[in-house]
Amino acid sequence: MRKKTIRTGIVGAGFAASFHFESLKKVHCAEAEVVGVFAADGPQAAAYAAQRGIRAFDSLEELLEAVDVVHVCTPPVAHEPIAVAALERDKFVICEKPLTGYFGDGTDAFDGDEFDKQIALDAALASIERIRAAEAASKARLLYAENWVYAPAIQKEREIIEKTGAQVLWMHGEEAHSGSHAATYGFWKFSGGGSLIGKGCHPQTAALYLKVVEGRARDGRPIRPKAVSARTHALTRTAAYRDEGHIRCDYRDIEDFSMMHIVFEDDTIATIFASDVVVGGIHNWLEVVANNHRTVCNINPVPAVQTYNPVEKNFADIYVVEKIGTKQGWSCPSPDEDWFTGYPQEMEAFYRCVAGGVAPESDSRLAADAISTIYSAYVSAQKGGTEVPVKAF
Ligand SMILES: NC(=O)c1ccc[n+]([C@@H]2O[C@H](COP(=O)([O-])OP(=O)(O)OC[C@H]3O[C@@H](n4cnc5c(N)ncnc54)[C@H](O)[C@@H]3O)[C@@H](O)[C@H]2O)c1
């Protein structure tokens, strides 16, 4: 049977737009035809388009007219308007994480350190409602690009939970490295927060997903979050911080360390760390402690290959692993980092949904619960870690 051709557009021409394009080449279930790109940075979009032989569009509206699916690869502040505009035109949306958030009051003076985080929670919940209402009124769907859900390690754990009827008692996990590359990261008004949302959303959403899996397997009822307590810190902005050049430290008004402790409806728990202060490459993992097994899901590094290199320059043109500070000594060069991270698998699943209506594992409801929990965690952190209830969607 001939594969369905799906016309695709990309919004944003930076880091995420690049790995989306690479993953699109690996979609098997349909013919994903990348028509073009639109980005606020016109020259960047033109260069991105020229490199890939696609068209650079002058406006979002023109791009939307020409495609069936749009990939939202912009900073979080732009996710809601782009997603809603696409859904209103019955175009499928593949939206990068985090789905949405609160991005300040629109003034230059806005300070992410100082404002009342309850305002952020209320605004983020309202934004979720608007996106979900647009989806409900649309013939298309929003597919939430949380790659951790599709990472092979998390999908293996899904199988273990489903086939053994496991009860997950405690999950603990982390996403950390030495600082995001994006220039807009570091400003609450663009990112909607710091490490808690930008990095914490990955292991947190995987943990929320595995409790959905557990409940669904047992009696068809997903188990959802009910409360959260959290702490946040800006370690590289303390007066005492000593910069030795290994960790990015130019953040304006965001935290660079966070810890959130989630309580689910069944009184089981998950503890998630996220930070921008960890050297030695990406440190992404989730450990699942269940009543009948224990699993460590390694997302990155994965020691499929372990290499000792005595001379830094010998590896000058060898890619080792994301955000590694040095290639000298022992490292775990990843034979296929995108695969272990879940990028091609999520794209395949999303195009299966677009082409054939197969429901995605990572949908707008999971995204909504993730954002609701994250902004409740910010309220908790402001109160020094007091438990705050979570609205589940
Ligand atoms: N899943 C992952 O592993 C992962 C990794 C990195 C980034 N991300 C997510 O991807 C998104 C983009 O991050 P990035 O690192 O690629 O950022 P980036 O700064 O590298 O690129 C952002 C792009 O968006 C464009 N842009 C900004 N505002 C726009 C608007 N209103 N309309 C159209 N284009 C606009 C910019 O011109 C730029 O081309 C973020 O939501 C981020 O959280 C996800």
Side-chain angles (χ1 to χ4, degrees):
M1 211 175 78
R2 267 195 68 199
K3 289 181 189 173
K4 211 171 183 172
T5 298
I6 296 167
R7 296 169 308 152
T8 293
I10 297 178
V11 189
F15 183 75
S18 296
F19 72 71
H20 275 241
F21 190 88
E22 291 309 306
S23 299
L24 278 162
K25 290 185 197 160
K26 297 176 188 155
V27 169
H28 299 296
C29 63
E31 209 62 63
E33 183 199 328
V34 186
V35 173
V37 62
F38 167 70
D41 182 336
Q44 190 189 26
Y48 179 96
Q51 269 170 17
R52 294 166 178 83
I54 59 171
R55 182 178 160 197
F57 284 81
D58 293 330
S59 72
L60 176 65
E61 289 65 33
E62 282 175 88
L63 176 75
L64 289 176
E65 282 308 314
V67 299
D68 309 304
V69 183
V70 70
H71 292 238
V72 184
C73 298
T74 65
V77 62
H79 289 186
E80 180 192 333
I82 297 167
V84 169
L87 289 166
E88 282 174 353
R89 290 167 175 78
D90 295 325
K91 311 292 180 175
F92 280 82
V93 175
I94 294 174
C95 185
E96 257 307 333
K97 47 63 52 171
L99 176 65
T100 187
Y102 173 69
F103 306 96
D105 57 12
T107 65
D108 280 344
F110 174 77
D111 185 340
D113 291 326
E114 299 299 333
F115 78 102
D116 179 4
K117 301 300 183 290
Q118 184 65 42
I119 294 171
L121 173 59
D122 294 343
L125 292 177
S127 172
I128 292 168
E129 298 285 2
R130 288 191 294 272
I131 295 171
R132 288 190 30 101
E135 185 185 31
S138 177
K139 293 194 186 100
R141 289 196 69 155
L142 185 139
L143 312 165
Y144 182 50
E146 177 43 79
N147 54 281
W148 276 52
V149 167
Y150 296 96
I154 299 294
Q155 281 302 315
K156 196 67 198 170
E157 176 59 8
R158 173 193 57 73
E159 182 188 353
I160 293 168
I161 292 170
E162 285 177 348
K163 291 185 178 167
T164 69
Q167 181 186 26
V168 177
L169 301 174
W170 176 42
M171 286 169 279
H172 51 131
E174 178 179 13
E175 165 139 348
H177 54 65
S178 56
S180 289
H181 67 282
T184 50
Y185 184 78
F187 293 80
W188 188 297
K189 66 181 176 181
F190 298 122
S191 303
S195 55
L196 195 159
I197 184 164
K199 293 183 180 52
C201 67
H202 286 298
Q204 175 240 20
T205 308
L208 298 187
Y209 168 67
L210 291 175
K211 289 302 283 186
V212 168
V213 166
E214 177 193 330
R216 194 173 70 186
R218 186 167 309 126
D219 57 11
R221 286 210 314 273
I223 299 162
R224 303 212 172 258
K226 75 167 179 186
V228 66
S229 42
R231 297 297 305 266
T232 58
H233 301 271
L235 298 173
T236 58
R237 289 194 288 133
T238 58
Y241 178 63
R242 294 164 57 209
D243 177 18
E244 293 204 14
H246 304 300
I247 298 170
R248 183 177 165 186
C249 59
D250 60 351
Y251 306 124
R252 180 177 182 265
D253 58 354
I254 58 158
E255 77 285 355
D256 54 24
F257 174 91
S258 69
M259 182 199 67
M260 68 180 131
H261 183 74
I262 302 163
V263 182
F264 292 93
E265 288 164 342
D266 63 353
D267 294 316
T268 63
I269 53 177
T271 314
I272 304 295
F273 301 94
S275 85
D276 290 285
V277 295
V278 171
V279 296
I282 302 254
H283 193 217
N284 294 355
W285 54 277
L286 183 72
E287 180 160 343
V288 179
V289 178
N291 64 343
N292 62 4
H293 73 282
R294 181 160 78 98
T295 299
V296 181
C297 300
N298 288 313
I299 310 291
N300 199 343
V302 179
V305 177
Q306 293 170 281
T307 300
Y308 178 77
N309 167 35
V311 184
E312 177 84 30
K313 70 174 169 42
N314 287 355
F315 274 32
D317 65 350
I318 296 174
Y319 180 79
V320 171
V321 71
E322 196 183 340
K323 293 245 169 14
I324 193 84
T326 171
K327 296 175 179 177
Q328 194 162 331
W330 281 104
S331 66
C332 295
S334 187
D336 190 341
E337 199 168 41
D338 284 0
W339 188 84
F340 285 112
T341 308
Y343 293 147
Q345 296 91 334
E346 75 176 351
M347 231 42 95
E348 182 70 17
F350 293 158
Y351 278 80
R352 223 179 269 282
C353 173
V354 177
V358 182
E361 291 286 89
S362 185
D363 59 10
S364 65
R365 189 172 177 189
L366 183 66
D369 281 355
I371 299 301
S372 173
T373 307
I374 283 166
Y375 281 95
S376 301
Y378 276 120
V379 173
S380 169
Q382 188 175 37
K383 295 177 175 173
T386 306
E387 188 173 88
V388 170
V390 171
K391 173 184 162 67
F393 283 83

